Amino acid sequence: MDKRVQRPVPVKSSRLGFALVLPMLLFVGGLASGAWWLSEAQVLRQTVSEGRTVADMVENIGRWASQYGGVHVRTVGSSAKIPGNFLTRSVYATSGADNQVLQGSKVDAAVAERDALERVEAYHWKNPALIQREVADVISASGSKARYRLTARTVLNKNNAPDAFESEALDAVQAAANARPDAPGAQEYWRVSGNRLLYARSVVAQPSCLRCHDQPDSAPEFIRTNAQFNGGGGYGYVAGKPAGLISVSVPLVTNANLVQNLPHEVWAAAGLALIGALWMLVLAFRRR
């Protein structure tokens, strides 16, 4: 009887290599992809938080100014530089003698009148919204990468009219408010545009806002007579109701920026992990 011994057929090394490399590649690729997406989500969450922080600052500036009904900026002397935009201006003589000279009830030399004019004090009233806007101008001039401004569907100043994103945000926060009218807090909306995050939060009108934004007839004369504030709207505010938006723009840090700015320790750790993965592959091939 012919007995033949069947020898096992050797498995090709290429198949073994593929069977070892593919799971390792899947593991490393999945880990790297998960880390990348996680970092993107964390960066986006952090940037949204920065947008909220800027909006908080703007609201707090408004609250601070509102508790005083606005702020008066003092200048001394009739030739003093006008402190930007203001809504009302009141001028006072600093003494009874100066008042008599300036009122004409006291006859005096022209020199005394000039001296009295250099001592007069003027108080320029700025309402909370104007203060918030001027702070925004200071931040922009400082070179800060964060920006903010206030806007609404209708505005007193045409320069504050909403842009495309702000119009989109006004519709979104209004829809959210209509869907949940009893929801506490302001409504917010944001989206990414290029390398920046655009964030918007609804603004609730305070009682101090009504001094300028209630009805045209009750607005300060400066607003009613100044063409700059003839924007075709900006009235009809109701205290406690949404009136407009705080619009914020902050830079969005991308993963490419993060990779470029990673500390050396992170690169060293990544290198050690890669060396460990290659070492495991070599050991696996040797055991085969």
Side-chain angles (χ1 to χ4, degrees):
M1 186 174 181
D2 188 14
K3 295 183 179 179
R4 297 180 180 180
V5 179
Q6 293 183 350
R7 297 180 179 178
V9 179
V11 180
K12 293 183 178 180
S13 60
S14 59
R15 291 183 179 178
L16 283 174
F18 182 77
L20 290 172
V21 171
L22 180 59
M24 183 62 71
L25 289 177
L26 290 175
F27 173 75
V28 173
L31 189 62
S33 299
W36 183 271
W37 291 329
L38 178 62
S39 64
E40 279 195 339
Q42 289 295 104
V43 165
L44 184 58
R45 185 179 304 170
Q46 178 63 32
T47 309
V48 172
S49 179
E50 291 176 7
R52 290 179 179 137
T53 300
V54 174
D56 288 342
M57 178 197 70
V58 180
E59 285 189 339
N60 289 328
I61 291 172
R63 290 192 185 101
W64 171 80
S66 295
Q67 68 182 342
Y68 303 113
V71 171
H72 284 85
V73 179
R74 173 178 173 266
T75 60
V76 178
S78 60
S79 59
K81 183 180 179 181
I82 300 298
N85 290 326
F86 55 91
L87 301 182
T88 62
R89 182 172 185 261
S90 302
V91 182
Y92 301 93
T94 56
S95 68
D98 286 349
N99 184 58
Q100 289 180 1
V101 171
L102 297 173
Q103 292 294 332
S105 59
K106 182 178 180 181
V107 178
D108 209 332
V111 174
E113 184 175 347
R114 287 199 299 270
D115 290 343
L117 286 172
E118 289 306 313
R119 288 191 291 268
V120 297
E121 295 182 347
Y123 293 86
H124 307 78
W125 177 61
K126 298 175 181 285
N127 68 346
L130 188 53
I131 294 168
Q132 289 170 315
R133 198 194 75 190
E134 290 191 358
V135 172
D137 294 339
V138 171
I139 292 175
S140 178
S142 72
S144 172
K145 295 181 180 180
R147 301 282 190 276
Y148 83 83
R149 72 191 204 110
L150 277 75
T151 186
R153 291 191 184 279
T154 64
V155 294
L156 292 173
N157 189 339
K158 294 179 181 179
N159 294 330
N160 297 331
D163 59 21
F165 163 73
E166 291 159 350
S167 297
E168 176 184 323
L170 284 165
D171 292 338
V173 297
Q174 183 62 52
N178 292 338
R180 300 184 61 189
D182 298 329
Q187 302 291 337
E188 64 178 7
Y189 176 79
W190 58 267
R191 67 173 171 84
V192 175
S193 177
N195 61 348
R196 298 189 72 82
L197 177 86
L198 305 180
Y199 174 88
R201 178 189 295 175
S202 60
V203 176
V204 176
Q206 303 298 318
S208 60
C209 301
L210 305 186
R211 184 171 178 181
C212 298
H213 296 280
D214 185 8
Q215 298 299 328
D217 295 340
S218 61
E221 182 181 0
F222 183 83
I223 289 180
R224 290 185 279 107
T225 59
N226 193 322
Q228 179 183 0
F229 297 101
N230 188 20
Y235 297 107
Y237 284 18
V238 178
K241 298 293 183 181
L245 287 179
I246 300 171
S247 177
V248 178
S249 172
V250 292
L252 182 68
V253 179
T254 63
N255 276 342
N257 301 131
L258 288 177
V259 170
Q260 292 175 358
N261 295 287
L262 283 177
H264 297 300
E265 293 81 1
V266 175
W267 287 113
L272 288 175
L274 181 60
I275 291 172
L278 293 176
W279 196 345
M280 286 190 293
L281 279 177
V282 171
L283 292 175
F285 272 114
R286 284 182 176 179
R287 290 178 179 178
R288 290 291 179 178

